[in-house]
Amino acid sequence: MCAKRIDPSSIDIDHLRQEFEKFRAGLGDAADKLGDNAHTALDQITEYLNGGSLSSRVASLEEELEILGARLKGSSKDAVAKLETEASARPLAAMALAFGAGLLAASLLRRG
């Protein structure tokens, strides 16, 4: 590897110092902005966690899940009751349907 040599007499030290100071000031401004943003975000998270809104939101989600679970349980009971009624009214059709579903499941499992 051949390193390119720089003539020391061609370097403008004053210009380099000015550019370095601009760079340093820019970095300082960026660090200040990042620090301010980080403090703001941490303050918001702390306020959110300490404000009790998280626990109230969790409680409301639990209530909604309980309601949905009860609805699902009721719907599934209705569906099972309806299926039992139809199967007892038409036993041959129910057996044929079950046999067909079994064949379909077997063919799908054999492919996989």
Side-chain angles (χ1 to χ4, degrees), residues 6-105:
I6 298 174
D7 183 18
S9 63
S10 67
I11 297 174
D12 186 3
I13 298 294
D14 291 330
H15 178 69
L16 287 176
R17 282 186 186 140
Q18 289 173 356
E19 291 299 314
F20 183 73
E21 289 301 320
K22 287 180 190 177
F23 181 70
R24 178 190 258 172
L27 282 178
D29 291 343
D32 290 341
K33 287 179 184 178
L34 287 174
D36 291 343
N37 289 341
H39 284 296
T40 303
L42 287 174
D43 290 343
Q44 289 175 349
I45 290 170
T46 303
E47 181 182 328
Y48 181 76
L49 292 175
N50 292 336
S53 61
L54 182 64
S55 60
S56 66
R57 292 181 94 191
V58 168
S60 68
L61 285 174
E62 286 176 346
E63 290 173 13
E64 287 183 40
L65 285 174
E66 286 177 12
I67 292 169
L68 288 174
R71 283 171 137 177
L72 182 62
K73 190 175 183 180
S75 297
S76 64
K77 282 183 180 180
D78 292 343
V80 168
K82 190 173 185 178
L83 181 63
E84 287 175 351
T85 303
E86 291 293 324
S88 63
R90 300 184 188 116
L92 288 177
M95 285 178 50
L97 185 60
F99 182 75
L103 285 177
L104 180 64

